[in-house]
Amino acid sequence: MSYSQPPAAPPLPKLPKAPTGIAGLDEITEGGLPLGRPTLLAGAAGCGKTLLGIEFLVRGVLDYHEPGVLMTFEESADELAANVASLGFDLRGLEANGQLALDHVQVDRAQLAEAGDFDLEGLFIRLGYAIDQVGAKRVVLDTLEALFGGFHNEAVLRSELQRLFRWLKDRGVTTIITAERGEGHLTRQGLEEYVSDCVIVLDNRVVDQVTTRRLRVVKYRGSTHGTNEYPYIITETGISVLPITSLQLDYPVSSEIISSGVAGLDEMFTRRGWYRGSSVLISGTAGTAKTTLAAAFALAACQRGERTLYFAFEESGPQLIRNMRSVGLDLQPVVDSGLLHIEASRPTLNGLERHLVTIHNRLAEFKPSAVVVDPISNLVSVGSLLEVRGMLTRLIDYLKVNNITALFTALVSGRLGQEMTEEGIASLADVWLTVRDLEGVGERNRGLSILKARGMAHSNQVREFLLTDDGVQLLEVVLGAGGIITGTGRQAQRLLEERQAQAHAHELARKERELTRKRLVLEASIANLRTEFESVEEELRQSNREAEAQQHARQGLASGPASLPSTQPLG
C-alpha cells in the first residue's frame, strides 16, 4: 500500500508594509512600517523625531507617489519648512503641488480643562479634511504631548489614545506619531507604546565627548525585525541608519587577479596578485612603510584606468603626494586626471557613524574600483574598540557587495605583538600582510610577510624590502647560519660569499695548473716510453733482420757445393 504526501499548505500572507525610503531603516524593519497602521516614534529632545517623520512624508511623495499630511502641535508650518530646507526638503513646494498638507494646531494648555466627556472629535474632523484634501496615504502627528499634556486621568488618556489610533487605522493611513521620552517609560504618558502597532525609540547619547545617536525597534506587531541598537546620523541629505545586519554574505565574487603595485610582492603569491574585490589588511609598527605600500597599490590601480578613493587620516593630500614622490611614486598625474581622489581629514572631525556615511556618500559619488583607508587605527580615538569593529565590519561588507577592492592599514602597538591589531578585523580580511622592523648588527631594516591569502597559495618567507627612488623593491632572500640575513649582514654575507667564490676559483685554477703539469709529465713519460719502445722495437727488428740474413747465408753455404755440376776433362 502506498501513501501519498498531503499537499503543501499555501504560504500565509505577510504583513503589508510601507517603505520609508530612509537608508537602513527599511532593512531593519524588513520592508518598512506597517501599512495603514500607526507607528510610535519616541525619543528625547534633539534625537531627530520630527526630522524622521518629515523625511518619511517627503520620501513617500517623491519615491512612492504617496501624498501625506503633517500635523504639528508645537512648531508652525513655516518654521518646519525653514528648518528642513537645509536638507533639501521643499515642504512648501510639495504643498503647492497638492502632494503634502501642512497643518499647525495651536494648543494652549492653560485653557484646557479635564472633563470626562472630553474627546478628539475636532481633531478627527480637521485631520480627516487634510487627508481628503490631498488623498493622503501617510500622516505624521508631531507631538502628542502638546495635545495631552494638560490631562492626568489615565482612563481618559487611554480611551482617547485608543480612539485616535483606531480612527487612523479605519482611515487606512500609515501614520508616525512622535512622543517624548518619559521617566521609566518609553513615553511621558507611558500609554502610547501599548496601543501602537510599531514602536521605535531614538536615543542621543554622549560618550567620551562624542555624540552618538541610536535607533531601536522595540516592538513590531505581525513582523520580525532587527532587535539591536543601530547607529544613525543626520546628514545634509536626511537620516541614514547603519544596520549591522543589513548586509548578507550572498554577494558575487571575482576570479580576476590584480597587482598589488609591487612586483616583488606579486611574486610572493602563486597567482601573481590578489583577487579583485578582496579586502587587504597591512599591519605593522610605525615607520614600516604601510602608507607607501598603500600608495603603490593606489597608483597601480589608477595606471590600470581604475578610479581609486584614498581616505587619509594622518596626512593631507599635498603632503601625501610630496612624500610618495620621494620614493618614486608620483600621484599628482593620476590626481590631476581624476582617477585618484584623496579624502584627508582627522578622525576626530566626525563620529564613527559620520565617517561611515561619509565613505558611503563618496563611494556613491566617485564610484571607485579600489579604496584605501589609511590608517584604521586612528578611528579608535572616536569610538570604543567594539564600535570600531562594528563600523569596519559594515564597511568591509559594503565594499564586498559592490566588488570594490579595499586596502586597510593598521598600526600595531608593541604591547600587542607584531601580528595583532587592536581593531580585531584581521579575520575579516581576505589578505593579511604584516610589515615589521628586522633589527640586527646595530641597524633596523624592513621586512614583509604574508600571513594569509584566502583562495591561493603564497610564500611563507619574510622578505626584506627597500624604499628606493623607483618605489618599493623586495630583495632576494639571503640565508646564513642563523637564518635570514638583512641589511649590512646581507652585504657582509655577499662579500664573504664572493671571497669564498674567489678562493674556490683560485683553488680550481691551481688544480687545473697541477693537472696540466701532470698531463705534461704524463705525456713526456708516454713519449719517453714510446721512444724506448720504438728503440727496443727497432733493435728487435734489426735483430730479426740480422737473424734472417744469417739464416739465408747459412742456407746458401750449405747448398753451394752440392749444387755445382760435375765436369769431366776432355780427352
Side-chain angles (χ1 to χ4, degrees):
M1 180 180 298
S2 61
Y3 297 92
S4 60
Q5 295 290 337
L12 296 176
K14 295 185 178 180
L15 180 71
K17 298 183 178 182
T20 64
I22 298 174
L25 182 56
D26 289 337
E27 297 170 340
I28 295 173
T29 56
E30 298 186 2
L33 304 182
L35 182 66
R37 297 186 183 186
T39 295
L40 178 66
L41 194 61
C47 63
K49 302 184 299 298
T50 302
L51 179 58
L52 192 149
I54 292 177
E55 186 168 356
F56 169 72
L57 292 178
V58 174
R59 300 297 181 195
V61 172
L62 299 180
D63 299 340
Y64 307 106
H65 308 289
E66 295 184 357
V69 171
L70 172 61
M71 179 170 285
T72 173
F73 303 103
E74 292 184 339
E75 296 179 275
S76 67
D78 292 334
E79 291 173 340
L80 286 177
N83 292 342
V84 300
S86 61
L87 304 178
F89 299 157
D90 186 7
L91 299 187
R92 288 304 186 186
L94 297 177
E95 184 182 29
N97 294 332
Q99 299 170 304
L100 183 66
L102 303 177
D103 191 5
H104 175 226
V105 179
Q106 183 72 30
V107 178
D108 188 355
R109 297 185 181 182
Q111 298 178 0
L112 292 177
E114 184 174 359
D117 58 352
F118 175 81
D119 57 40
L120 299 177
E121 289 299 330
L123 176 66
F124 296 158
I125 294 174
R126 191 164 178 171
L127 183 57
Y129 173 78
I131 293 174
D132 296 335
Q133 183 182 11
V134 296
K137 301 295 183 182
R138 303 185 178 204
V139 172
V140 171
L141 301 179
D142 181 44
T143 67
L144 283 184
E145 278 72 25
L147 187 62
F148 294 106
F151 297 91
H152 306 285
N153 189 317
E154 183 176 331
V156 174
L157 287 175
R158 180 179 294 273
S159 174
E160 293 304 310
L161 280 172
Q162 290 177 342
R163 287 188 61 210
L164 174 61
F165 280 57
R166 173 51 56 189
W167 185 89
L168 292 169
K169 288 183 179 181
D170 293 340
R171 293 301 299 258
V173 290
T174 306
T175 308
I176 287 182
I177 302 172
T178 65
E180 298 178 3
R181 290 292 298 269
E183 295 293 337
H185 301 280
L186 295 180
T187 61
R188 183 173 297 180
Q189 309 297 337
L191 299 175
E192 297 93 325
E193 56 262 38
Y194 296 103
V195 296
S196 301
D197 291 271
C198 178
V199 178
I200 299 176
V201 174
L202 305 181
D203 180 40
N204 186 15
R205 66 189 68 168
V206 178
V207 179
D208 294 332
Q209 301 180 359
V210 177
T211 299
T212 303
R213 292 182 171 92
R214 293 287 187 269
L215 178 148
R216 181 168 66 96
V217 180
V218 177
K219 79 172 185 179
Y220 198 138
R221 288 173 179 165
S223 173
T224 58
H225 57 86
T227 58
N228 297 327
E229 279 193 332
Y230 303 97
Y232 69 96
I233 65 171
I234 300 175
T235 69
E236 62 276 5
T237 59
I239 291 180
S240 295
V241 186
L242 311 173
I244 298 177
T245 57
S246 63
L247 299 172
Q248 303 297 324
L249 297 178
D250 57 357
Y251 48 81
V253 296
S254 173
S255 298
E256 180 185 356
I257 298 297
I258 61 175
S259 172
S260 66
V262 179
L265 178 56
D266 290 342
E267 294 174 357
M268 296 181 69
F269 297 91
T270 56
R271 303 198 63 181
R272 300 298 187 269
W274 48 62
Y275 293 112
R276 180 179 298 279
S278 298
S279 56
V280 182
L281 174 64
I282 301 179
S283 63
T285 54
T288 51
K290 300 182 296 297
T291 298
T292 304
L293 292 171
F297 166 74
L299 181 59
C302 293
Q303 290 173 344
R304 294 192 299 267
E306 301 174 4
R307 298 168 68 86
T308 304
L309 193 56
Y310 196 114
F311 292 94
F313 292 144
E314 289 184 335
E315 300 176 280
S316 66
Q319 182 181 0
L320 178 65
I321 293 173
R322 182 203 64 187
N323 294 347
M324 292 303 104
R325 190 180 293 117
S326 66
V327 291
L329 302 176
D330 192 359
L331 302 178
Q332 191 63 56
V334 293
V335 170
D336 295 338
S337 67
L339 288 174
L340 177 64
H341 177 71
I342 300 176
E343 186 83 9
S345 64
R346 287 293 183 187
T348 52
L349 178 64
N350 298 308
L352 291 176
E353 291 77 20
R354 172 75 65 171
H355 278 297
L356 183 56
V357 171
T358 299
I359 293 175
H360 282 201
N361 292 339
R362 297 297 180 268
L363 292 174
E365 297 168 0
F366 195 65
K367 301 186 185 305
S369 299
V371 169
V372 175
V373 181
D374 175 39
I376 59 176
S377 311
N378 288 20
L379 296 174
V380 178
S381 61
V382 291
S384 65
L385 291 179
L386 182 60
E387 292 172 335
V388 172
R389 291 190 190 102
M391 177 263 192
L392 293 175
T393 299
R394 295 193 295 271
L395 176 58
I396 290 175
D397 287 343
Y398 180 84
L399 294 172
K400 282 181 173 294
V401 167
N402 291 276
N403 197 33
I404 298 175
T405 308
L407 187 145
F408 305 91
T409 67
L411 178 66
V412 173
S413 60
R415 62 183 178 85
L416 291 176
Q418 293 284 356
E419 297 179 357
M420 295 179 63
T421 61
E422 291 183 349
E423 299 75 27
I425 67 162
S427 61
L428 301 176
D430 299 305
V431 178
W432 186 7
L433 310 177
T434 178
V435 285
R436 63 186 66 179
D437 286 324
L438 304 176
E439 298 186 15
V441 198
E443 63 181 12
R444 300 174 65 182
N445 302 291
R446 296 182 177 95
L448 182 149
S449 61
I450 303 174
L451 295 184
K452 75 171 182 178
R454 287 173 177 160
M456 66 179 70
H458 56 85
S459 171
N460 63 347
Q461 293 179 325
V462 178
R463 296 284 299 275
E464 182 183 2
F465 67 94
L466 301 176
L467 302 183
T468 69
D469 293 337
D470 298 322
V472 180
Q473 177 185 357
L474 267 70
L475 303 179
E476 294 297 329
V477 175
V478 176
L479 298 177
I484 297 177
I485 301 176
T486 62
T488 305
R490 173 192 293 271
Q491 298 177 359
Q493 180 69 17
R494 287 182 176 176
L495 291 176
L496 177 61
E497 291 176 353
E498 290 176 359
R499 288 196 296 268
Q500 291 176 347
Q502 292 175 356
H504 183 64
H506 291 323
E507 180 67 14
L508 288 178
R510 186 190 65 78
K511 290 183 178 180
E512 184 69 23
R513 292 192 299 270
E514 181 69 20
L515 182 61
T516 300
R517 288 194 296 269
K518 289 184 177 182
R519 184 183 296 109
L520 293 176
V521 172
L522 178 60
E523 290 176 353
S525 299
I526 292 174
N528 292 334
L529 291 174
R530 184 177 288 110
T531 300
E532 183 179 353
F533 175 79
E534 290 175 353
S535 298
V536 173
E537 185 180 28
E538 181 63 24
E539 292 178 357
L540 181 60
R541 288 176 181 174
Q542 184 64 28
S543 299
N544 288 337
R545 287 195 296 271
E546 292 177 355
E548 288 177 357
Q550 293 176 0
Q551 181 68 24
H552 287 304
R554 286 195 296 270
Q555 290 178 354
L557 291 175
S559 60
S563 62
L564 292 175
S566 61
T567 58
Q568 296 291 330
L570 293 177

